[in-house]
Amino acid sequence: MAFEITNEMLVGSLMPVIVYWVYGGLYTILGYSCNNYRLHPKEDEDEKNFASKKTVIKGVLGQQFRQFIATNLLYMITRGNDARASSGQSTSFFVIARQFIEAMFVFDTYQYFLHRYLYQNKFLYKHLHSKHHRLVVSYPFGAIYSHPIEGLLFDIIGGTMVIYISGMSPLTSAFFFSFCNMKSVDDHCGLMLPWNPFHIFFTNNTAYHDLHHQLYGGKYNFSQPFFSIWDKILGTYMPYSLEKREEGGFKLRPLKEFKN
């Protein structure tokens, strides 16, 4: 059987990339007019971070190119399963819903334990994960900025595992990973908008992850991208409160003592 990249494969690998930049661009625009909902003043993005926006954009584009190659290689290798799923077996709403829920829990579990281990192993934190935390004040299009090896572990290997375990077709995975990218961008957007549906349905939200990015939050709130269940079960959950700033926006405050 010859290997080829089909239109469905291209949609599966390109759609999440397009959604990332469109959704991130929307939040970037909103950030200029929604100062009353910001977790950090706009100028902090340049003054408190340790990576320039140009460097971040280059890093994200490189990561997305590597994901594009890896995703299409996976689709070509598993082409028989995908073809059978799309032509001979049911792809009803209930099947897709089951795949989505299964994928969300698999992705969350994998990312929690990997994320936490990258902190516990000081060598890996110093040489890999610290790159992502050069963004102390996160912003939308910096959501997947990371070391290439970390990107391989989190997104490429993790994404491959999710597709394989859930049995998603390329088209279904396009919607799932577009959803993941929207959630990741949302978690890093720095805006606590009152009408945001992600904040209604997920306690693991913008403020939850922003606390983790602060210098005092490195031992807490590892869960990503959807639920906070593993943090609560394993004692790494840090509750917080949001207080209004006099100059506009919110101040994030942890509600229990944190470890040094």
Side-chain angles (χ1 to χ4, degrees), residues 101-113:
I101 294 170
E102 188 175 286
M104 289 168 74
F105 278 100
V106 170
F107 213 26
D108 256 38
T109 300
Y110 174 79
Q111 291 214 8
Y112 173 85
F113 288 99

Side-chain angles (χ1 to χ4, degrees), residues 100-219:
F100 256 68
I101 294 170
E102 188 175 286
M104 289 168 74
F105 278 100
V106 170
F107 213 26
D108 256 38
T109 300
Y110 174 79
Q111 291 214 8
Y112 173 85
F113 288 99
L114 176 59
H115 192 190
R116 186 172 179 179
Y117 183 68
L118 290 179
Y119 273 89
Q120 293 176 331
N121 187 307
K122 293 181 179 180
F123 176 86
L124 292 179
Y125 180 82
K126 178 180 179 181
H127 295 282
L128 297 184
H129 194 54
S130 64
K131 182 171 183 177
H132 180 67
H133 281 271
R134 291 177 186 175
L135 301 184
V136 178
V137 178
S138 59
Y139 46 80
F141 57 84
I144 64 169
Y145 175 65
S146 62
H147 190 282
I149 295 177
E150 181 179 348
L152 171 70
L153 294 172
F154 272 104
D155 299 321
I156 296 175
I157 294 177
T160 299
M161 180 176 63
V162 165
I163 293 172
Y164 182 79
I165 292 176
S166 67
M168 288 179 174
S169 69
L171 188 58
T172 302
S173 70
F175 285 97
F176 176 73
F177 288 111
S178 293
F179 181 57
C180 288
N181 277 351
M182 291 175 67
K183 181 63 170 62
S184 185
V185 166
D186 199 272
D187 289 346
H188 292 84
C189 73
L191 294 173
M192 290 299 293
L193 298 174
W195 39 263
N196 188 335
F198 282 122
H199 297 173
I200 297 172
F201 293 104
F202 297 100
T203 57
N204 185 342
N205 56 31
T206 307
Y208 188 92
H209 193 69
D210 189 87
L211 186 148
H212 172 75
H213 267 261
Q214 303 312 304
L215 298 179
Y216 56 75
K219 295 181 182 291

